Amino acid sequence: MSRNESRIYVGNLPPDIRSKDIEDLFYRYGKINFVDLKNKRGPPFAFVEFDDPRDAEDAVSGRDGYDYDGYKLRVEFPRGAGPRRSVGRGRGPPARRSQYRILISGLPPSGSWQDLKDHMREAGDVCFADVYRDGTGVVEFLRSEDMKYAVRKLDDSKFRSHEGEVAYIRVKEDHGGGSDGRVSTRRSRSRSYSPRQKRSSPTYSPMRRSHSRSRSGSRDSYN
């Protein structure tokens, strides 16, 4: 049994989420080995590891899209992981596409499409994200204005992967691109850019809702 088959990714969490809250969300699906909550910088996300991969599969099926006080949770298997049989979700980046595409370069080796999507949510609603082995990636937005904001504000921004690797990424609008949205001029992971005089991290503003939330683990309403 692969350990990765028992591990799930949980994104689009409220800014004040705690590890105990996440345990309350998933305990009913089976024994949890650990919860790894990442909430130091940027939008919070977490990894949850179950004792049994079948429990992880049930958790993905039961909690993906779950409305947690107005936050529609994204629950899926990390890329390249998950059960050998398909459960219809969690097997890669979301399939919805749009024409409002940006190209990313300079990603650290451990940067995942989940990390990239979370980073780009500062600009607006992301409908698709993917990364490639050479440190490049592609992100698509639902609206043109969100794409343009990302190019203006997130170019040369500080990106942190779920493993803690940090890099300053470059962002540009895709004016043509190939069918898969890859950056046409390939760059190796070892290539670096000349640093600017001043760098600033994106300012995250995840507090879209201010009403209080009951922390009961028994929530059964779905969108």
Side-chain angles (χ1 to χ4, degrees):
M1 180 195 307
S2 169
R3 175 180 175 182
N4 285 337
E5 292 178 14
S6 302
R7 196 181 193 201
I8 63 173
Y9 169 87
V10 186
N12 201 30
L13 293 164
D16 60 344
I17 194 76
R18 303 172 304 173
S19 295
K20 180 61 168 61
D21 298 328
I22 297 174
E23 290 177 4
D24 288 344
L25 276 166
F26 291 101
Y27 78 92
R28 65 181 59 193
Y29 295 102
K31 180 182 177 182
I32 296 174
N33 290 336
F34 72 84
V35 173
D36 184 13
L37 176 60
K38 308 290 188 180
N39 60 353
K40 298 295 184 183
R41 299 190 182 192
F45 61 95
F47 291 99
V48 179
E49 183 177 297
F50 289 88
D51 191 59
D52 190 321
R54 292 170 297 184
D55 297 335
E57 183 178 353
D58 291 340
V60 170
S61 298
R63 288 304 192 204
D64 186 31
Y66 179 75
D67 188 343
Y68 189 73
D69 193 39
Y71 288 79
K72 190 174 183 180
L73 300 183
R74 183 156 54 92
V75 182
E76 52 208 13
F77 288 98
R79 198 168 193 187
R84 291 183 175 85
R85 62 185 185 280
S86 174
V87 296
R89 63 183 85 188
R91 297 305 304 270
R96 188 176 182 184
R97 306 299 297 268
S98 85
Q99 61 182 314
Y100 308 121
R101 176 185 299 161
I102 59 173
L103 306 177
I104 316 297
S105 57
L107 292 165
S110 63
S112 69
W113 70 267
Q114 294 101 325
D115 299 331
L116 184 58
K117 186 173 183 180
D118 287 337
H119 185 81
M120 289 296 163
R121 278 202 178 99
E122 162 69 12
D125 292 326
V126 176
C127 63
F128 179 87
D130 205 358
V131 299
Y132 307 106
R133 292 181 180 273
D134 60 357
T136 62
V138 59
V139 173
E140 294 173 9
F141 293 91
L142 292 178
R143 293 180 294 272
S144 174
E145 56 266 31
D146 295 342
M147 174 192 69
K148 295 184 182 300
Y149 182 92
V151 173
R152 292 196 313 270
K153 300 297 185 180
L154 296 180
D155 183 35
D156 205 28
S157 61
K158 187 176 183 179
F159 175 92
R160 181 182 295 272
S161 77
H162 63 279
E163 294 185 4
E165 284 189 292
V166 173
Y168 288 90
I169 60 174
R170 302 309 304 263
V171 179
K172 67 177 183 178
E173 185 175 346
D174 181 15
H175 294 286
S179 59
D180 65 352
R182 285 174 177 253
V183 179
S184 57
T185 303
R186 312 306 289 166
R187 303 182 187 274
S188 69
R189 289 190 181 277
S190 61
R191 178 157 183 179
S192 60
Y193 294 87
S194 299
R196 296 182 178 181
Q197 292 297 319
K198 294 183 179 180
R199 299 186 187 273
S200 60
S201 302
T203 301
Y204 294 93
S205 302
M207 292 299 293
R208 293 174 291 176
R209 298 168 178 81
S210 61
H211 57 281
S212 61
R213 178 174 76 255
S214 169
R215 298 195 177 275
S216 171
S218 176
R219 295 170 184 250
D220 293 312
S221 62
Y222 289 78
N223 285 350

